[in-house]
Amino acid sequence: MPSKVRSSGKGKGKSGKGKGVGSKQQSRSQRAGLQFPVGRIARFMRGGGFARRIGAGAPVYLASVLEYLTAELLELAGNAAKDNKKQRIVPRHIMLAVKNDDELHRLLGSVVIASSGVLPNIHNALLPAKKKKKDKKLSNSQEY
């Protein structure tokens, strides 16, 4: 009686869909071309109790959105640091980047960033009044 060999689905098997010899493991972040950890985000999504089941594409999508937002914020904060002639991004630069960008301000407008200060703003009523230029007309004595 021939013995039946059951395949657990891992390895190459007869289907030929397994990993070839010499191929290395690739993380989901590497496959998606991302820097943010897809596996860790998937674990947080499963443990967070947001839904009973999490699709395979959901953590990849969330990681890509988070990576984009982070890159956008860091670019604007780096520009703010460069404007202030600094090499290092500090919380003040992040706050300036958020407040001066319309879309980021809409997203993070109610967020308080510690030790970031306030936007430089002077109310118009406190500014000195501008003097109006008067048209100087020549008096009659100076006319010829």
Side-chain angles (χ1 to χ4, degrees):
M1 190 163 176
S3 63
K4 294 182 181 178
V5 178
R6 285 194 173 177
S7 175
S8 64
K10 295 180 181 176
K12 194 161 183 175
K14 290 184 179 179
S15 64
K17 289 185 180 179
K19 296 175 184 159
V21 178
S23 67
K24 284 193 166 190
Q25 285 185 342
Q26 248 189 342
S27 69
R28 287 189 277 177
S29 298
Q30 288 173 334
R31 267 185 251 152
L34 298 173
Q35 300 299 314
F36 270 51
V38 174
R40 184 179 300 174
I41 291 173
R43 187 177 76 232
F44 289 154
M45 287 175 78
R46 275 187 257 113
F50 304 109
R52 278 194 225 147
R53 298 166 65 171
I54 303 292
V60 177
Y61 192 87
L62 181 58
S64 64
V65 168
L66 289 174
E67 185 172 319
Y68 169 74
L69 287 173
T70 304
E72 189 75 21
L73 182 61
L74 282 175
E75 181 184 350
L76 293 172
N79 292 343
K82 197 176 285 185
D83 291 343
N84 291 331
K85 297 174 184 161
K86 304 287 183 192
Q87 293 287 318
R88 191 171 292 154
I89 295 174
V90 293
R92 171 107 181 130
H93 302 139
I94 296 172
M95 188 270 306
L96 289 172
V98 168
K99 300 291 183 192
N100 290 327
D101 186 66
D102 292 336
E103 293 171 343
L104 281 177
H105 184 66
R106 223 177 333 146
L107 181 67
L108 303 171
S110 61
V111 173
V112 176
I113 301 172
S115 66
S116 63
V118 296
L119 269 181
N121 185 24
I122 300 173
H123 199 276
N124 288 335
L126 300 174
L127 292 173
K130 293 183 179 178
K131 296 179 181 177
K132 294 180 182 178
K133 294 182 180 178
K134 297 179 182 177
D135 293 333
K136 294 184 179 180
K137 293 184 178 180
L138 297 174
S139 64
N140 293 336
S141 63
Q142 292 180 346
E143 288 182 352
Y144 293 104

